[in-house]
Amino acid sequence: MGLDQPGLRPDVVLRQALEADMAAVDAVIRTRMASEHAPRIPEVTAHLIGAGGKRLRPLLTLAAARILGYEGRHHIDLAATVEFIHTATLLHDDVVDESAQRRGRPTANLLWDNTSSVLVGDYLFARSFQLMVGTGSLRVLEILSEAAARIAEGEVLQLTAARNLATTEDTYLKVVRGKTATLFAAACESGGVIADATEAQVDGLRTYGDALGVAFQMVDDYLDYGGAGDAIGKDLGDDFRERKLTLPVIRAVAAADDGERAFWRRVIEAGKQEDGDLAHAMALMARHGTLEATRAEALAWSARARAALAPLPEHPLRAALDDLAGYVVARVI
Amino acid sequence: MGLDQPGLRPDVVLRQALEADMAAVDAVIRTRMASEHAPRIPEVTAHLIGAGGKRLRPLLTLAAARILGYEGRHHIDLAATVEFIHTATLLHDDVVDESAQRRGRPTANLLWDNTSSVLVGDYLFARSFQLMVGTGSLRVLEILSEAAARIAEGEVLQLTAARNLATTEDTYLKVVRGKTATLFAAACESGGVIADATEAQVDGLRTYGDALGVAFQMVDDYLDYGGAGDAIGKDLGDDFRERKLTLPVIRAVAAADDGERAFWRRVIEAGKQEDGDLAHAMALMARHGTLEATRAEALAWSARARAALAPLPEHPLRAALDDLAGYVVARVI
């Protein structure tokens, strides 16, 4: 554990160590959310930003900059930018998913409507871009605008890949990156760039964020089937019912014989699910060892994240990032 | 008429004079729309961009740069940027309006769905940012990211102002700017900035685009009530049925006596419209001269647009912009 506080969760360690910076980020968010002419905007976003998310992305940006000894102000604006992009994505996801709950609260589109979700999301995207421009760093602008395009592309890809048994592991990884890893990577990388990191350090930070995000998502996809036998039984099989092609299923489909393939076609492609199908799916995954393989993949990505920190100087926050990469897979060890 | 082609519509004159530039813009749009991993993206946008819009916004950017003697390539990317922002806005408007038709074709959200409209719109926004970043001009980035924020803010404002009799002329102007004038202004201004225009020229271009957009929208709002007596009778009163607070109504409400105010409350706020209400509304607007006043305002904004071109050098394209400002109000002269 970093920062000499053994036992604390690494995201809590990061939040405590970066408390003053995070307070400054919150102040920027509040100021930039404000719209003189459209008071509904802060109303919608305060609801979402105030919902007590972990704020992991801005913490990554701040940590990257501080590890490299940055003493300026731009890391604050960048961290706020990253959180704005994330929040805008959540607002638009609400429309896409028509999901009824987000972080345990009613989603913005039920409280207000789809319209507000779309337009306030657009406002936050535009504001995030203004914030980035304020840093004056064209390289940071390239990193974050590229990330925004990859995120949208990944979401479109997810739509077209849904319920499609032909989905490959390559497509799965692109979707996972669009959902999580791309913004994690850009958050880390831009923090390094603003702090004038060496190229090796910038590469390391990007790779760390990417691998952290992929590991994080794979753990989620693994635990949705209760892991390799130690089922908690809570909300088990949500992905199965939504007919999502996650890694354990993709590998089970790839290894399937004719009879198994017919099963996957019925439950995923045709969506005709009956009692006992989830148990049968999990038995097939166990037979082909795909849950265990997904777990092993998640651990490998976590190890890749930790290794990527090597070019960074010794620093308590570097130790906290290292712990964080271990923490995201701790649920499956 | 500019370019020695009397009788041609000024947007056609612009399109012909800038044909090679526009072909280059189209090539950039096709390349940047493409997504290796998500083929649905060009499918949705080609449908919209291919729908034969006037492409007025990219023409404004190209004309501004060319009038100032620009010989580089960045005006092409900027023009494509502006069209991407416009197209993204249209896609999101489809979700907001749930409109069944856009440019005479079924809208993307009926052909595909709301989800595609939201996500492909986001992709285009992100791509437009990437294109801008490629110009390397922080000032252009400031102009266009500020415009994107104003557009979203204007749309949120329009929602909160809808069906609200307390809407002021000031709010109306902000909504009009968000809908049209802000992107017109940014299109013109960024073309000037990239061409190293003087501050007076940049101001003139921004003011031209802004005034052109306001005049354009006021003419629309005037003609929705058939103008001051010369009704065409086609789709007359759409704004009335949608209970929109446009300038003719805002002024009629401001001048209303108690009985008239009760009428406006019933038809706009309560939405209880009966046969004959549109005719009565138009009679009230005639009584208070608000249609005529709206027409006069549109003409004044057109004149402001033309005057703003003064700092620009003599050029056939400058004459075409001058004609264009006359053309947008020609329907009401």
Side-chain angles (χ1 to χ4, degrees), chain A residues 34-41 88-89 92-93 95-98 113-116 118-120 122-130 132-134 136-138 141-142 145-150 152-153 155-157 159-160 170 174, chain B residues 34-41 88-89 92-93 95-98 113-116 118-120 122-127 129-130 132-134 136-138 141-142 144-150 152-153 155-157 159-160 170 174:
Chain A
S35 163
E36 190 189 339
H37 311 307
R40 182 178 277 193
I41 289 175
T89 307
H92 286 183
D93 277 354
V95 179
V96 170
D97 294 347
E98 292 175 7
D113 47 36
N114 268 353
T115 297
S116 296
V118 171
L119 296 180
V120 175
D122 288 351
Y123 179 75
L124 289 182
F125 268 131
R127 280 298 203 198
S128 77
F129 206 66
Q130 280 187 291
M132 294 180 224
V133 171
S137 163
L138 283 168
L141 290 163
E142 278 166 21
S145 61
E146 166 80 17
R150 289 270 163 265
E153 205 172 18
E155 299 220 42
V156 176
L157 187 63
L159 283 183
T160 52
D170 184 54
K174 282 182 188 118
Chain B
S35 163
E36 191 190 336
H37 312 307
R40 182 178 275 191
I41 289 175
T89 307
H92 287 183
D93 277 354
V95 180
V96 170
D97 294 348
E98 291 175 9
D113 46 37
N114 269 353
T115 296
S116 296
V118 171
L119 296 181
V120 175
D122 288 350
Y123 179 75
L124 291 181
F125 269 130
R127 281 298 203 198
F129 288 156
Q130 281 188 290
M132 292 181 224
V133 171
S137 163
L138 283 168
L141 290 164
E142 278 166 19
L144 286 167
S145 60
E146 166 80 16
R150 289 269 163 267
E153 205 172 20
E155 299 219 44
V156 176
L157 187 62
L159 283 183
T160 50
D170 184 54
K174 282 183 188 119

Side-chain angles (χ1 to χ4, degrees), chain B residues 55-102:
Chain B
R55 307 277 197 105
L56 209 49
R57 292 156 192 83
L59 285 170
L60 291 175
T61 304
L62 297 172
R66 289 299 196 186
I67 289 169
L68 293 156
Y70 183 68
E71 291 292 340
R73 277 278 311 178
H74 289 324
H75 67 316
I76 304 294
D77 287 345
L78 277 182
T81 293
V82 163
E83 187 68 1
F84 271 173
I85 293 176
H86 175 56
T87 305
T89 307
L90 290 184
L91 278 167
H92 287 183
D93 277 354
D94 283 348
V95 180
V96 170
D97 294 348
E98 291 175 9
S99 59
Q101 292 285 323
R102 165 76 60 194

